[in-house]
């Protein structure tokens, strides 16, 4: 299978908890290579544009407020089957429902503060990588 790229964010809760290294290590030890990485404090506009698909959802305001509450790490991960593999390593959106050994089970506290984001399809990966890193 060909190499694939996906977009990942280590969210403000995980950065504040000092577990950037532990999360990056999960990627690295499971065959994902970090090929772009930057710490960034998202503006309101950055977060609203990034999550535009959720604009009409009731949690949109809270999501944008949370994502701009502190610095994040934006990164591009590369590996075989990177999009699905990253979603598997992350675990379910709600950490209470996330499988044992997943990043969200181990480092997240709530559905809002859930430690990481990962692209959910090839189309989102392409859009999200371009959004933060250009083509
Ligand atoms: P993400 O986009 O952050 O990787 O997470 P996801 O695909 O697992 O979840 P998604 O449905 O795309 O939702 C994006 C983020 O919005 C927050 N959320 N809150 N209160 C709620 O019901 C709710 N649902 C989603 C989560 O922080 C989720 O990661
Ligand atoms: Mg999503």
């Amino acid at each position: 299978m060909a190499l694939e790229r996906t977009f990942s964010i280590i969210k403000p809760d995980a950065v504040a908890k000092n577990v950037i290294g532990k999360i990056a290590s999960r990627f690295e030890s499971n065959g994902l290579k970090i090929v772009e990485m930057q710490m960034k404090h998202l503006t309101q506009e950055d977060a609203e544009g990034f999550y535009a698909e959720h604009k009409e959802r009731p949690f949109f305001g809270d999501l944008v407020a949370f994502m701009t509450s502190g610095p994040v790490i934006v990164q591009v991960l590369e590996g075989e089957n990177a999009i699905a593999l990253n979603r598997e390593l992350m675990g379910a959106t709600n950490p209470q429902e996330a499988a044992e050994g997943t990043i969200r089970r181990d480092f997240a506290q709530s559905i809002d503060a859930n430690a990481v984001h990962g692209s959910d399809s090839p189309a989102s990966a392409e859009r999200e990588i371009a959004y933060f890193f250009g083509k």
Side-chain angles (χ1 to χ4, degrees), residues 11 50-51 53-54 57 59 63 66-67 87 90-94 104 110-114 116-120 128:
K11 294 188 179 185
F50 180 72
Y51 281 117
E53 64 177 319
H54 294 313
R57 310 279 284 276
F59 58 80
L63 176 59
F66 173 65
M67 290 300 290
R87 297 286 293 188
M90 288 163 57
T93 307
N94 182 347
R104 282 170 168 164
S110 69
I111 194 164
D112 299 302
N114 63 359
V116 280
H117 160 84
S119 309
D120 59 10
E128 293 171 0

Side-chain angles (χ1 to χ4, degrees), residues 26-135:
R26 296 284 175 102
F27 301 142
E28 294 181 331
S29 58
N30 287 281
L32 292 173
K33 191 175 182 71
I34 299 166
V35 296
E36 301 273 6
M37 186 178 223
Q38 191 193 345
M39 182 175 270
K40 198 175 163 73
H41 197 138
L42 302 187
T43 64
Q44 181 92 4
E45 192 189 358
D46 289 335
E48 285 179 355
F50 180 72
Y51 281 117
E53 64 177 319
H54 294 313
K55 204 168 48 196
E56 307 304 331
R57 310 279 284 276
F59 58 80
F60 184 71
D62 287 345
L63 176 59
V64 169
F66 173 65
M67 290 300 290
T68 56
S69 67
V72 301
I73 302 288
V74 292
Q75 64 213 308
V76 177
L77 308 177
E78 185 181 82
E80 287 197 12
N81 204 20
I83 297 169
L85 173 58
N86 181 41
R87 297 286 293 188
E88 195 182 312
L89 297 176
M90 288 163 57
T93 307
N94 182 347
Q96 258 93 53
E97 291 162 12
E100 250 176 76
T102 61
I103 294 169
R104 282 170 168 164
R105 174 71 168 258
D106 293 341
F107 302 115
Q109 44 263 305
S110 69
I111 194 164
D112 299 302
N114 63 359
V116 280
H117 160 84
S119 309
D120 59 10
S121 68
S124 329
E126 194 180 341
R127 181 187 79 84
E128 293 171 0
I129 290 169
Y131 190 81
F132 284 105
F133 293 104
K135 276 289 163 191

